[in-house]
Amino acid sequence: MRRLIGLTLSLVLLSLSACALFPDRDALHINVVGIEPLQSQDLEVRFAVKLRVQNPNETAIDYNGVALDLEVNGRPLAAGVSDQQGSIPRFSETVLTVPVSVSAFSVLRQTLGLSQTQSLNNLPYVLRGKLAGGLFGTVRFVDRGTLDLPTTVTW
């Protein structure tokens, strides 16, 4: 029994010291800087979401995939993924473009949830996502703001 307690305590201390080996990173600054329409199919609308990613750290951030979930007015609206990969140099920034899909049913849910005085513009959004970077390099992020949809969307 004493060995089990000693082994457990050793594993806990070892795991805590392992965390100290990883450098502290400041959070990335990620903002939506544009939403552009893409060619749509059948009962879905597609957009290209442009994200400005700023790295305020002393080391580069490597990524090998991006995933996004967009919630508008408290309801899920769109999701998208991209297998793009690259690196954001230290104290630098880049713009990533991720295609997202919106089903007609999501748009219908959004429209039914609006009051008669609201439109699809200036609604609050929450964008959740991640930059995949391997076992310990994945960076999750959240951006909040108000949405202005492009007017050239056709069904």
Side-chain angles (χ1 to χ4, degrees):
M1 184 63 164
R2 275 192 157 174
R3 276 190 195 166
L4 184 61
I5 292 173
L7 179 63
T8 303
L9 184 59
S10 296
L11 288 174
V12 168
L13 291 174
L14 182 63
S15 66
L16 288 176
S17 66
C19 291
L21 296 176
F22 296 110
D24 289 335
R25 281 191 184 168
D26 290 329
L28 299 178
H29 302 281
I30 299 178
N31 295 303
V32 176
V33 294
I35 298 177
E36 297 175 356
L38 295 174
Q39 179 146 357
S40 302
Q41 290 183 343
D42 300 330
L43 293 176
E44 77 172 356
V45 177
R46 295 185 45 81
F47 294 99
V49 175
K50 292 185 177 187
L51 303 172
R52 179 167 311 280
V53 182
Q54 297 176 330
N55 179 8
N57 294 289
E58 295 179 16
T59 58
I61 303 287
D62 297 321
Y63 63 94
N64 59 8
V66 185
L68 300 178
D69 287 310
L70 178 63
E71 181 180 288
V72 175
N73 208 24
R75 293 184 179 90
L77 179 67
V81 294
S82 174
D83 66 349
Q84 61 190 300
Q85 54 186 312
S87 181
I88 306 164
R90 62 188 289 276
F91 297 107
S92 187
E93 63 182 38
T94 191
V95 175
L96 302 177
T97 302
V98 180
V100 298
S101 299
V102 182
S103 75
F105 300 110
S106 293
V107 172
L108 183 61
R109 263 196 320 261
Q110 288 291 334
T111 306
L112 291 175
L114 299 175
S115 71
Q116 290 185 1
T117 59
Q118 286 180 307
S119 72
L120 287 176
N121 283 325
N122 296 319
L123 291 177
Y125 74 84
V126 177
L127 179 75
R128 291 180 176 83
K130 70 177 179 178
L131 290 174
L135 186 60
F136 296 109
T138 296
V139 178
R140 297 187 183 278
F141 59 88
V142 175
D143 181 45
R144 291 174 167 74
T146 56
L147 188 64
D148 290 317
L149 292 177
T151 57
T152 58
V153 175
T154 59
W155 288 88

